[in-house]
Amino acid sequence: MKTKKNFGKVLYFTFVVMMWGMIIGNPCFSKEIKKVAVLPFVMNAQQDLKFLQKGVFDMFSSRISYGDEVEVLTREDLENKLGNADLSSIIKGVNESKAKELGNLLNVDYVLFGSLTLFGNSMSLDVNMVDIKPDNPALTFFRQGNDAGAVIPELDKIAEEINYKVFGRETLQFQSQKAMQRAYAGEGEGYVSPLKKFQTLLSVNGTLNGVATGDLDGDKKNEIVVIQDRTVQIFKYGFNGKISLVQKIEDNSVAMSLVGVDVADINQNGYAEIFITRINNRNQSVASCVIEYNGSKYVKGKTTYPWYLRVIKDAKGNLELFAQAHTQKGPWAPKKVFKVNWQNNSYTQGTRLRVPEKGFSVLSMTTGKAFSNDTAMYLYTDELGQLVVFNDSGHIEWSSDKGYGGSSLFYAHPKTVHGLYDNKYDFLQPKNIMYDMDSDGKAELFVIKNKEASDYLFKNTRVFKQGSIEILNWNDMGLSFENAPKKFSGPVTSIDIGDYDNDSKMELLVTMIKKGNNMFSRDSKSLLVAYDLD
């Protein structure tokens, strides 16, 4: 009897193992790739909008495609599969039933089609997402706006709904929309941005490109450093509740662009140094410099460094200086990234940091006690606007959807012999910051998210119409947030966290561009604003 029972157990175990092997080995049980055909939209307007038709196609394609889970047919795929058929005539007469027929012909799971109407100051967007299965109804969307600029944000919302309703993918952007809806509906304090109480410290003509804080003169009180055009300005908070200018340092080279500023006492002499990352776009060089207090005034050192510089605070709270060696391939080609040490009265290359091979820049890198207590983890915003988390071996652990960061600062590649206006620009990303806002022993990520007016359709132009700051938390699923984003009427250029007013409380310093009457105007105005973090 016992032998029969044992034989039964062995037989059952063998059956389970065989079935499991079949499931793993058989592609029928693996996750099926969903294929989508996005048809060119019908454009209803008085002017020729072929460029916008292409842009709508590209925007939907990039927002719906997702790794090896959702594949969108390219324009070439559509043309090849349709053969001699006239695509323009097809899209004019398409409806739900014809979309299902077309989907079977193209061998896809879904067909997306629609129309965009621009008349005067009004815009309307009709979108249909058709499941080719016979009994599955289509999803339809209709959006209106008071100007043509509403096309991109409304398209974004539709794409996010499609991702959620069709593919079950709830992106950070969709979470942000729901959080904002809850905030407006009053569904709990947790969905309101904690950035409420603020003070405007500075208003200037032009663009403030960076801000940092630290004890620069050794008096145990912090100063504020801002960079604007080719100028470094140092401010001190006064008892009257305002900041006053201590010293202004002009950069003599008209070819230099100041693209980064950080503060830390790396040489341990009691005076925190000011680290300025400088790019010369005329000869594609980097000549970063260090400014330090000499007991009576602030002096720029004679030595320059071919490095991009970034000060970050590690998980133990120590400030460390990192550098990325410059290469003429641009700031997104990490030739060498390393910690900078102070030895023999000079800044020297220290321990090498392994980073992802492509799309990395030290200028937006940060770290902190947020990801893991045991393993060193770092975060940066890549060239495409994705937040990327990697470990100390350079392996990427997680990445977000696109849309984060956004800056008008750039590195210009040299012109070629093919023409006068064929520069290629590599745009930089603003810095991210880790800070434990709620004192729970785990830092939150403060990240900038600017909205580009053309949705990056133009390679060498960046015009940001609005910006926001999101505060994200790390969990087993990646980065997410519990609060609504803090939105601004203009783009955010830089952030820093420090006790600028020396009241033993930390504040978030924000530099931003005020929204003007014309988003393309060069006569911009910038603000430096401080938000309480209590």
Side-chain angles (χ1 to χ4, degrees), residues 401-530:
D401 297 304
K402 300 176 185 178
Y404 286 90
S407 172
S408 298
L409 300 174
F410 62 88
Y411 170 87
H413 291 271
K415 296 179 181 179
T416 67
V417 296
H418 299 297
L420 182 62
Y421 300 104
D422 54 356
N423 280 94
K424 177 183 180 296
Y425 293 168
D426 279 345
F427 287 88
L428 309 178
Q429 295 288 15
K431 65 181 178 182
N432 302 299
I433 295 178
M434 287 286 190
Y435 174 71
D436 186 3
M437 186 174 64
D438 50 12
S439 302
D440 64 349
K442 194 173 182 181
E444 286 78 32
L445 172 67
F446 288 70
V447 60
I448 293 170
K449 190 173 187 179
N450 291 323
K451 183 68 177 178
E452 211 277 325
S454 70
D455 200 47
Y456 301 101
L457 287 179
F458 307 104
K459 293 182 179 181
N460 286 353
T461 302
R462 294 290 183 270
V463 179
F464 297 100
K465 57 183 180 179
Q466 63 184 29
S468 63
I469 296 175
E470 293 185 0
I471 303 174
L472 307 176
N473 302 279
W474 179 260
N475 54 46
D476 292 337
M477 300 299 293
L479 283 165
S480 61
F481 51 84
E482 299 175 358
N483 305 297
K486 178 63 181 178
K487 303 185 76 172
F488 300 90
S489 60
V492 178
T493 56
S494 183
I495 56 176
D496 193 57
I497 292 179
D499 182 13
Y500 82 94
D501 55 2
N502 304 294
D503 63 352
S504 300
K505 297 178 181 178
M506 303 294 274
E507 291 87 20
L508 173 69
L509 295 175
V510 180
T511 57
M512 60 166 290
I513 301 175
K514 293 177 64 177
K515 184 177 181 180
N517 294 328
N518 183 356
M519 69 172 64
F520 296 98
S521 174
R522 294 185 179 182
D523 300 326
S524 59
K525 293 183 179 293
S526 293
L527 298 178
L528 171 62
V529 181

Side-chain angles (χ1 to χ4, degrees), residues 1 7 79 97 99 118 140 189 261 322-323 446 452 476 503 507:
M1 188 72 176
F7 177 79
E79 293 174 352
S97 61
L118 296 176
T140 59
E189 186 69 17
V261 58
F322 285 85
F446 288 70
E452 211 277 325
D476 292 337
D503 63 352
E507 291 87 20

Side-chain angles (χ1 to χ4, degrees), residues 33-39 57-58 60-67 69-75 77-78 108 112 129 167:
I33 299 176
K34 299 296 183 182
K35 293 186 178 181
V36 182
V38 177
L39 302 183
F57 179 93
D58 292 339
F60 266 120
S61 298
S62 64
R63 283 156 177 73
I64 294 175
S65 62
Y66 188 70
E69 295 183 18
V70 181
E71 177 185 332
V72 178
L73 297 187
T74 65
R75 204 182 316 271
D77 289 335
L78 281 176
V108 297
L112 188 149
M129 183 68 168
F167 305 114

Side-chain angles (χ1 to χ4, degrees), residues 300-316:
K300 183 170 70 174
K302 295 181 180 180
T303 304
T304 60
Y305 304 89
W307 307 334
Y308 303 91
L309 300 174
R310 179 76 173 98
V311 171
I312 63 175
K313 184 178 290 187
D314 65 14
K316 297 180 180 179

